[in-house]
Amino acid sequence: MSFSEILWSAGSIFVEPSLFEAMLIGLVMGMVFGATPGLGGKMGILLLMPLLFGMDPAFGVVLLLSMHSVVHTGGSVPSILIGVPGGAPEAATVLDGFTMAKKGQAAEALGASMAASGIGGAVGALVYFLLLPVFQHFGHIFGAPEYLLLAVIGLSAVSTLSHGSPIKGFAMGALGLLASAVGLDSATGTPRFVFGRLELWDGLDTLILVTAFFAVPELLDLARKKRMLPDSTAAAAACTYGALFRGMAALWRYRWLTLRTTIIGIVIGMMPGLGAEVASWLAYGHAVQSADDKSRFGNGAIEGVIAPETANNSKEGGSLLPTVCFGIPGSSTMALMMAGLAILGLPVGPNLVTQHLDFVLLMGWSVFWSNLLAVVSFLAILPIVGKIVYLRIDYIAPLVTTIAVIGTMMEQSGWVPMLVLFVAALLASLLVNGNWPRAPFILGFIMGHLAEASLIKTTALYDWSALLRPGVLVLLAFLAIIVVRGLRKPGGMFQGLETRADRLLCAGLFACFAAAAIVSLGFPFEARLLPLSAGIAGAAATGLLLLARLRAAAVPNPLEPPREFVHWRLIVNFAALLALLPLLGALPAGAVYAGTHALVELRASIWRAAILAGGVALALWLLFGVWLRLPLTGALL
């Protein structure tokens, strides 16, 4: 990779009209999803995934990265105007940003936030280019043992550093590996866990599992939350251009803080599993500790806006490095990004750099230009930006759910994919209620094939002396650090089985792992390696959780928080949507689902329910009928 290649790639987005169009579309989507509390970047990626099939890979890469890069920029709008963060990473911005808005300084806070986001994101992208050759060099000297350890490190990082119990995270990673084993084994052609269905010979669909595990549970939860309208005096706090530019100029006044927090974000991004939340709060804490007058923070200090916003945007450039070069996502959102790249036909992991360097460079420039363009675009929409925060999430959720489900089912046929979607969504809802992390499952599923290929090569080509390879020793030390840090989390290793339902779920998963391990013993040696290892690891993790709970059962914990179980009305209505799709078609099924939700869950009048149903039908017609030219009535399957 030469300097001239990087420079040529810099202008490719502007030379190709289609790529510039993709960046503009992604920019708008990212700002809207970031500014709508409860949605965020993950939901944006999930909604884009059905549209990626058959899309030009370059167009899709720019669309995904541009949307994802400016989500945090958009998330600062509700954080500052009404004190409701667009997502968890923007929570630190609320402390001083919302206080400034209540003092009539909303425009200054927004200006500082936009400038900090743009500079942080752009610098993070430049560091991505600077360090890419270094990471690429390490990828060239790795063999099968190193790649196997990289897969284990990625799973361990996401498992131990995500919320909830680390042992739960390990179990979910093992479950994802088992899910990746469904279908014909590539080495021997052996059918594994197909239950006699030809539809499963090609394996489980990535988009179905991603939608079921991330989109459906979150949307069902949001569908019953009524967003309160913000106080008008807080939302319309004199957003003038003069005040906006004063806020942007504050970055020069605090330029050294901006530089330090940008570096903090980049470094945190390179550490798999930490995420933007950690970057934001560490940067905010550094701003407080380095200030002369610490009492100003929480009372409207503009540095309290600059620090978290630079960090949560510069993090994206750092998190791209392990994702692109090693196939280790820097965050759960990057795990979804890897799924999107797989749908576009781009290999995840080290082969991406060696075989598709042009796309690797395009990803970095998409982050760079979209962050800068977001600042310019914000200047044009300043007079109306406050209106975004008035969106009612309980009315938006049925529309987004319908679009996500119909988009997922566009490329599917038969009742098996529909059943897989429902069962996976039901399992994900139970996992959410039990505080089980879901990101390790998706990462295990995506990296399963790479892990299995590396495991087979390692056992076939190497003996125990492979443990003495320098790269293996370094990675083993890194793995040990990740595991020890994860197991020292507050609450301990075995936290999490608080309710009877959660214990039943854990017992069910234990039975699933044990059965998978026993069944895999009948497969040929190469075909049994991954499912047997995953089954044993998952059974050990869930078994330890159950044993720990039995030992603690004699000492009840009076402080256990009561957990809310699955809302069966929402699950039943979702099941009805899946059942109506093959009978009525996408448009009627979506309209019926939205209308039923309004009547049953929102207690809306018939007229409001009819309006919501009509709005959903119109949106489906415009998106799938007019734009994608797909049939919306009649059988979908």
Side-chain angles (χ1 to χ4, degrees):
M1 181 180 61
S2 64
F3 183 69
S4 60
E5 287 178 313
I6 296 177
L7 288 182
W8 180 88
S9 179
S12 59
I13 292 179
F14 300 97
V15 173
E16 294 288 338
S18 61
L19 298 185
F20 187 68
E21 177 189 358
M23 187 171 66
L24 291 179
I25 296 173
L27 189 70
V28 174
M29 288 188 63
M31 293 290 284
V32 171
F33 274 87
T36 305
L39 296 184
K42 290 181 182 178
M43 198 61 64
I45 295 176
L46 290 167
L47 283 181
L48 281 178
M49 280 188 180
L51 307 179
L52 298 179
F53 288 99
M55 184 180 289
D56 177 67
F59 188 95
V61 165
V62 175
L63 183 64
L64 278 172
L65 269 297
S66 299
M67 187 279 300
H68 173 64
S69 300
V70 300
V71 163
H72 300 311
T73 306
S76 63
V77 174
S79 303
I80 292 171
L81 291 180
I82 60 173
V84 177
E90 288 76 48
T93 307
V94 173
L95 298 180
D96 287 281
F98 184 48
T99 305
M100 291 181 67
K102 290 189 290 186
K103 293 180 177 179
Q105 300 172 337
E108 291 185 34
L110 287 171
S113 171
M114 294 300 135
S117 298
I119 291 176
V123 173
L126 292 177
V127 172
Y128 165 79
F129 288 119
L130 182 64
L131 297 182
L132 188 58
V134 179
F135 278 69
Q136 185 181 7
H137 174 71
F138 283 116
H140 286 159
I141 64 176
F142 283 178
E146 285 83 4
Y147 285 135
L148 176 61
L149 273 176
L150 283 174
V152 175
I153 287 173
L155 286 171
S156 301
V158 176
S159 300
T160 59
L161 298 176
S162 55
H163 72 87
S165 166
I167 296 298
K168 283 184 174 182
F170 282 124
M172 294 313 298
L175 187 63
L177 291 174
L178 270 184
S180 72
V182 173
L184 291 181
D185 168 48
S186 59
T188 65
T190 303
R192 301 182 297 190
F193 312 118
V194 298
F195 306 103
R197 302 300 309 182
L198 293 176
E199 297 92 335
L200 294 177
W201 278 31
D202 289 333
L204 299 176
D205 184 73
T206 302
L207 181 58
I208 287 179
L209 291 183
V210 170
T211 301
F213 263 74
F214 280 91
V216 174
E218 302 298 336
L219 288 170
L220 293 183
D221 182 60
L222 291 173
R224 58 188 177 86
K225 291 183 177 179
K226 181 181 294 186
R227 282 271 297 113
M228 297 179 62
L229 288 176
D231 179 65
S232 58
T233 59
C239 289
T240 63
Y241 283 105
L244 185 78
F245 290 134
R246 285 197 301 272
M248 298 175 73
L251 263 74
W252 177 253
R253 191 163 70 251
Y254 299 102
R255 53 190 177 276
W256 298 117
L257 174 65
T258 302
L259 177 62
R260 294 195 302 270
T261 53
T262 298
I263 295 174
I264 289 174
I266 294 171
V267 173
I268 293 298
M270 294 180 190
M271 298 181 181
L274 295 186
E277 298 93 332
V278 177
S280 298
W281 285 107
L282 280 181
Y284 185 85
H286 171 73
V288 175
Q289 292 300 320
S290 60
D292 295 331
D293 184 7
K294 298 178 176 57
S295 63
R296 295 173 51 249
F297 287 85
N299 295 310
I302 200 167
E303 308 100 288
V305 175
I306 294 173
E309 289 301 315
T310 51
N312 64 24
N313 282 270
S314 65
K315 178 205 73 79
E316 303 305 333
S319 64
L320 271 180
L321 285 166
T323 303
V324 167
C325 297
F326 301 141
I328 300 177
S331 62
S332 59
T333 306
M334 278 296 168
L336 298 182
M337 186 71 70
M338 289 173 61
L341 294 176
I343 292 175
L344 289 170
L346 299 176
V348 294
N351 290 334
L352 184 61
V353 179
T354 57
Q355 300 176 9
H356 301 278
L357 182 60
D358 52 340
F359 288 104
V360 172
L361 298 177
L362 190 61
M363 292 169 70
W365 286 118
S366 298
V367 175
F368 180 84
W369 291 122
S370 57
N371 273 282
L372 295 182
L373 191 58
V375 178
V376 178
S377 303
F378 186 80
L379 298 177
I381 63 173
L382 178 65
I384 60 171
V385 72
K387 294 183 174 17
I388 296 178
V389 299
Y390 286 92
L391 295 175
R392 282 284 299 271
I393 195 65
D394 52 348
Y395 281 92
I396 296 175
L399 170 62
V400 179
T401 302
T402 308
I403 292 176
V405 171
I406 294 175
T408 301
M409 292 291 108
M410 280 193 309
E411 301 291 328
Q412 307 298 324
S413 61
W415 61 269
V416 173
M418 200 77 72
L419 182 61
V420 171
L421 176 62
F422 177 73
V423 172
L426 181 60
L427 173 61
S429 298
L430 293 171
L431 294 173
V432 170
N433 282 277
N435 200 31
W436 291 69
R438 291 164 291 160
F441 172 87
I442 294 299
L443 181 58
F445 178 76
I446 294 172
M447 299 187 67
H449 298 296
L450 174 64
E452 184 172 27
S454 301
L455 180 60
I456 293 174
K457 289 179 182 178
T458 301
T459 55
L461 302 177
Y462 299 88
D463 54 23
W464 291 104
S465 62
L467 294 175
L468 300 178
R469 291 164 60 96
V472 171
L473 292 174
V474 172
L475 292 175
L476 283 175
F478 189 48
L479 176 63
I481 293 172
I482 290 177
V483 172
V484 170
R485 284 183 58 197
L487 298 183
R488 293 176 61 185
K489 288 176 62 174
M493 184 190 303
F494 301 106
Q495 60 172 328
L497 296 184
E498 294 96 348
T499 65
R500 181 173 177 270
D502 198 15
R503 292 191 290 274
L504 290 175
L505 174 61
C506 187
L509 289 174
F510 173 81
C512 175
F513 284 123
I518 293 172
V519 170
S520 65
L521 291 174
F523 299 152
F525 177 75
E526 292 86 355
R528 84 166 70 119
L529 278 175
L530 179 71
L532 181 60
S533 302
I536 293 175
T542 50
L544 286 173
L545 281 170
L546 292 171
L547 286 175
R549 181 61 191 180
L550 289 175
R551 291 181 59 186
V555 185
N557 183 6
L559 300 179
E560 283 186 352
R563 290 196 177 275
E564 193 173 17
F565 203 61
V566 177
H567 279 250
W568 292 110
R569 290 196 310 272
L570 296 170
I571 293 292
V572 170
N573 197 24
F574 177 72
L577 169 64
L578 297 181
L580 289 175
L581 280 174
L583 299 177
L584 303 179
L587 194 148
V592 171
Y593 171 74
T596 305
H597 171 79
L599 290 173
V600 176
E601 197 64 32
L602 303 181
R603 308 293 191 209
S605 64
I606 294 179
W607 290 109
R608 283 198 172 188
I611 292 174
L612 180 60
V616 169
L618 178 62
L620 294 176
W621 176 71
L622 291 174
L623 178 60
F624 295 107
V626 176
W627 186 22
L628 300 179
R629 301 182 182 278
L630 296 174
L632 293 178
T633 57
L636 182 67
L637 302 180

